[in-house]
Amino acid sequence: MSKQDYYEVLGVSKDVDAKALKSAYRKLALKYHPDQNPGDDAAEAKFKEVGEAYAILSDPEKRAAYDRFGHAAFEGGGAGPGGGNPFGQGDPGDIFENIFSQVFGGGFGGGGRRRNGPARGNDLRYDLEIALEDAFTGKDTEITLPTAVDCDACDGSGAEPGTSPETCPTCQGAGRVRAQQGFFTMERTCARCSGRGKVIPNPCKTCGGAGQVREDRTLQVKIPAGVESGMRIRLAGEGEPGMNGGPKGDLYIFIDVSEHDIFERDGPNLYCPAPVPMVTAALGGEIEIPTIDGGRARVTVPEGAQTGRKLRLRGKGMPSLRGSGHGGDLFVEMIVETPRNLSARQKELLREFCECSGADCNPESEGFLGRVKKFWDGMTGEDGQRPN
Ligand SMILES: [Zn+2]
Ligand SMILES: [Zn+2]
């Protein structure tokens, strides 16, 4: 199922500012809110869709990731729980109701739900470029990434050590407060505790009460031999920490194998264009070529070989990723080289040599001239004249 572009969902342009974005969201969210459309599944789906689009585009970091990678920025590849959900786990109904409350400062009353259940942490993406040689051998490497971790000083509570969070005096721990407004009873998130139900009288000095700090983390990553560009390595539980005791998200390492100076890769096979001197191509002989393991191989050039001919070296390609079966092959693609800077004597010899002609001597020319003749014959008009 292909997802609609977030900007299109909200009917805004790519350069929309925060104010216009919020206003576009407000209009659509009001229109599709489940309380306005009881029992209408299509409206509810639409409500979630605009909520998701707004949640991403209103968050500068997520919006930047989305602009760069599209929906793929938030895809967990279906590899684990919560894959594909940019909000982590948790009740999706709560999530979108919550976005709505944040924008409107309250729900339609009555149906407001609290959001202090455990929620899974966000998945993270890390792009890693590796050399073709490393993709061949596999590699143990280290990556460093900024991440939010529980604050050590307060153990993630946000309260200065020795003190603890207290029940919010405004909402008595409910996280929401109710107020009469016209004929609506508005229930809104408690402003004092932001819906957490608890306040921190003495915030931790290290994290400022957030309970989490940004930190560079270094991780060991094992790149398996045979990886290809576009593959992802999942490190379970290495994503962002969850909220309220929820599990951590996952880290996805996106592999990009860089181009190589000598070898071109197509799946498990490697291709190596190699120049062959004209005389070697004519008489047959041997050329030496490099192999991806850093070694060298001698390749027999058959007598009369032409440009474009591929010589196969079995088992000299990339290894198979799972280590099962055999890997790919190396194809040496011959490019017959025309000599330059000839001496007078060499030129004389070549002129003598030129007397040789015919299909046996010039197979490519013969085929080509045959096709050209057929083409001209087909073009001949009724008057027998060839068009100019
Ligand atoms: Zn702290
Ligand atoms: Zn409160």
Side-chain angles (χ1 to χ4, degrees), residues 151 153-154 158 204 206-207:
C151 171
C154 63
C204 164
T206 307
C207 64

Side-chain angles (χ1 to χ4, degrees), residues 97-218:
E97 194 60 56
N98 214 13
I99 294 162
F100 186 83
S101 315
Q102 281 164 14
V103 172
F104 287 88
F108 276 104
R113 280 170 291 188
R114 291 173 56 185
R115 56 139 179 175
N116 46 15
R120 186 174 174 275
N122 287 326
D123 289 340
L124 292 174
R125 169 182 176 139
Y126 186 94
D127 290 331
L128 181 64
E129 189 173 350
I130 62 169
L132 185 64
E133 295 91 315
D134 292 334
F136 174 78
T137 53
K139 188 185 184 188
D140 289 332
T141 188
E142 276 187 354
I143 61 167
T144 302
L145 67 163
T147 185
V149 295
D150 277 355
C151 171
D152 265 347
C154 63
D155 235 356
S157 74
E160 182 66 9
T163 72
S164 50
E166 289 170 8
T167 301
C168 172
T170 305
C171 64
Q172 270 78 44
R176 301 182 73 86
V177 289
R178 304 184 75 149
Q180 194 75 28
Q181 269 190 11
F183 61 71
F184 279 127
T185 300
M186 296 293 281
E187 197 183 74
R188 61 177 74 226
T189 304
C190 172
R192 177 139 184 199
C193 65
S194 309
R196 283 183 210 96
K198 293 203 182 292
V199 289
I200 298 168
N202 302 297
C204 164
K205 288 188 187 68
T206 307
C207 64
Q212 295 187 339
V213 286
R214 287 262 150 202
E215 202 175 70
D216 274 349
R217 265 196 314 163
T218 303

